[in-house]
Amino acid sequence: MDVTLKSNDLAKELSYLEKIVSQKPVVPILGNVLLQADASGGLRLATTNLEVGLITSCQASVDMPGSLTLPVEKLLSITRLLTEDVRLTLEQNQVRVRSGQYNARLQTLPAEDFPQLPSMKGLAALQLPRLGLRDLILKTRSAVSSKNTQLILNGALLIPGDEILTMVATDGHRLARAVIAYTGGAGAPAIVPIGALDKLFDMLAEGIEATVAFAQSDRHLFFACDGRLLISRTLNGKFPAYERMIPKAHPERIEFSAAALSLALQRVGLLASETQSIVIDVEASQMTLAASSTTDGDAGEQIAVAYSGPAFKTCASGPYVLDFLNAVTEDMAVLSVKTALDPLLFSQGLDYQCVVMPIRM
């Protein structure tokens, strides 16, 4: 193989591919990127950690078609520092890297040892809004469980409906649900694993295409946008009946400024205990936050709220509430409550809801 391409184009695609690779791959080939050049002038690049894979491409001048693999992190480190076009040439068991006066040789591993990635050809695809999908991930990602005790919770449920696109995540202590308007067609729900969520969020940050082609098979999920294809293994199992976890009859509504509550929580939380629990006390038009630690001391702060119900007092995880506040798109939000032992429902309209379980005081 012998190809020449722009170093900044290669570095850009490698920056996405590098995020797929495990820090300590179980086999050496999984630390490499597969490069496949064809006579038409395209260079296909792929990486995988066996759970998530990414295929992308670059325009290149191809003097000799072929395939090879290179350590993705090392190649990215080199390419980022190059200012001229880069030429990659396979020479026996090594790859020559040239750019201007720069000349290096990298060890390669056989391309035939690289795992074969599945294709979405022949699968029915839905067109999901790119920015809308990224917003759903932003609002629900924090509620995905990172523990291995319940694998089905290690992902977010994506539900393409007739008129809305929904994403839900829960770790058993909180739940986040976000909805956007959608006209791409109804489809079967799918659980997107946490690893794929993070890579998809990065992939959708920029691009010119307004939609993402989404397809699924029995074993894999596919997301294609702007010439990149993200492939993820599916999570098998039944997602919890999340509708039952969202309170329907919380009569008391507390309206507040998300920015004001966020700053107050951060300041008070500096002196919270290891559990990061914050006491929330609401009376009339005032919310009081309090936290204490046996080693550091205590802190409290008050913010103005719109509330005319009876006095209410509860305790909740400060970081859980902050995760909701960090994802809101407008300043005014609502806390719906019932009793100190009932779940807290934070929301912005019906499009974004977050349920947080209280902590016993």
Side-chain angles (χ1 to χ4, degrees):
M1 190 179 90
D2 189 350
V3 300
T4 303
L5 67 160
K6 294 184 180 298
S7 56
N8 58 339
D9 288 348
L10 180 57
K12 181 178 180 179
E13 298 310 316
L14 287 173
S15 66
Y16 288 107
L17 294 160
E18 184 263 344
K19 295 174 182 177
I20 302 292
V21 175
S22 303
Q23 291 296 319
K24 295 181 179 180
V26 292
V27 291
I29 195 70
L30 295 180
N32 282 20
V33 54
L34 174 67
L35 299 98
Q36 298 172 303
D38 58 52
S40 64
L43 181 65
R44 179 180 181 267
L45 304 95
T47 53
T48 181
N49 58 20
L50 301 183
E51 296 295 330
V52 181
L54 179 63
I55 301 173
T56 184
S57 62
C58 288
Q59 285 297 311
S61 173
V62 180
D63 292 325
M64 182 180 294
S67 302
L68 57 84
T69 74
L70 287 172
V72 61
E73 292 184 4
K74 185 63 67 179
L75 183 59
L76 176 58
S77 298
I78 292 172
T79 309
R80 277 176 170 162
L81 297 176
L82 301 179
T83 57
E84 300 182 42
D85 290 355
V86 57
R87 182 178 181 182
L88 305 174
T89 308
L90 179 62
E91 299 176 352
Q92 294 181 344
N93 294 325
Q94 294 181 324
V95 176
R96 180 79 65 177
V97 181
R98 301 183 184 93
S99 180
Q101 300 302 308
Y102 181 77
N103 191 333
R105 288 184 300 175
L106 292 178
Q107 294 293 331
T108 182
L109 292 173
E112 53 268 26
D113 291 346
F114 194 86
Q116 184 174 357
L117 295 177
S119 170
M120 67 180 291
K121 290 182 179 179
L123 297 175
L126 302 176
Q127 297 299 318
L128 312 182
R130 179 174 65 86
L131 295 180
L133 179 58
R134 193 170 192 268
D135 184 59
L136 293 181
I137 298 173
L138 173 67
K139 291 178 176 177
T140 58
R141 166 62 180 82
S142 60
V144 178
S145 175
S146 58
K147 298 180 180 180
N148 294 324
T149 52
Q150 298 185 65
L151 292 179
I152 200 65
L153 302 183
N154 294 162
L157 180 65
L158 179 65
I159 311 171
D162 289 323
E163 298 180 348
I164 60 173
L165 185 65
T166 305
M167 184 168 279
V168 185
T170 180
D171 59 8
H173 302 285
R174 55 176 162 172
L175 177 147
R177 173 185 178 271
V179 174
I180 58 169
Y182 165 69
T183 57
I191 302 174
V192 186
I194 189 170
L197 279 177
D198 292 339
K199 308 307 183 296
L200 183 59
F201 186 78
D202 292 337
M203 191 178 86
L204 301 180
E206 58 182 6
I208 59 175
E209 294 186 7
T211 60
V212 180
F214 168 64
Q216 52 183 315
S217 65
D218 292 340
R219 298 181 61 186
H220 295 95
L221 305 176
F222 302 87
F223 298 89
C225 185
D226 289 300
R228 303 183 185 99
L229 174 62
L230 185 74
I231 306 164
S232 171
R233 287 188 179 273
T234 57
L235 281 177
N236 297 319
K238 186 176 181 180
F239 198 81
Y242 69 89
E243 300 94 338
R244 300 176 184 175
M245 302 170 65
I246 301 176
K248 300 296 190 298
H250 273 27
E252 307 300 341
R253 288 169 49 90
I254 304 165
E255 297 183 15
F256 59 89
S257 161
L261 181 56
S262 176
L263 284 174
L265 274 174
Q266 292 177 66
R267 288 189 285 252
V268 172
L270 293 174
L271 293 179
S273 63
E274 291 184 0
T275 62
Q276 294 293 300
S277 57
I278 304 292
V279 175
I280 302 172
D281 195 346
V282 185
E283 188 171 2
S285 58
Q286 182 174 279
M287 177 184 289
T288 302
L289 306 175
S292 62
S293 167
T294 55
T295 56
D296 297 323
D298 59 76
E301 186 167 343
Q302 297 174 342
I303 66 168
V305 297
Y307 180 60
S308 58
F312 177 81
K313 187 175 184 179
T314 191
C315 183
S317 166
Y320 287 3
V321 179
L322 280 172
D323 284 337
F324 165 79
L325 298 174
N326 289 337
V328 297
T329 54
E330 299 177 5
D331 186 50
M332 295 308 297
V334 174
L335 168 58
S336 299
V337 298
K338 189 174 183 180
T339 73
L341 299 180
D342 287 301
L344 305 174
L345 176 60
F346 292 87
S347 62
Q348 275 199 334
L350 297 177
D351 294 339
Y352 184 30
Q353 298 171 311
C354 183
V355 180
V356 177
M357 299 302 294
I359 299 173
R360 288 187 177 274
M361 293 182 285

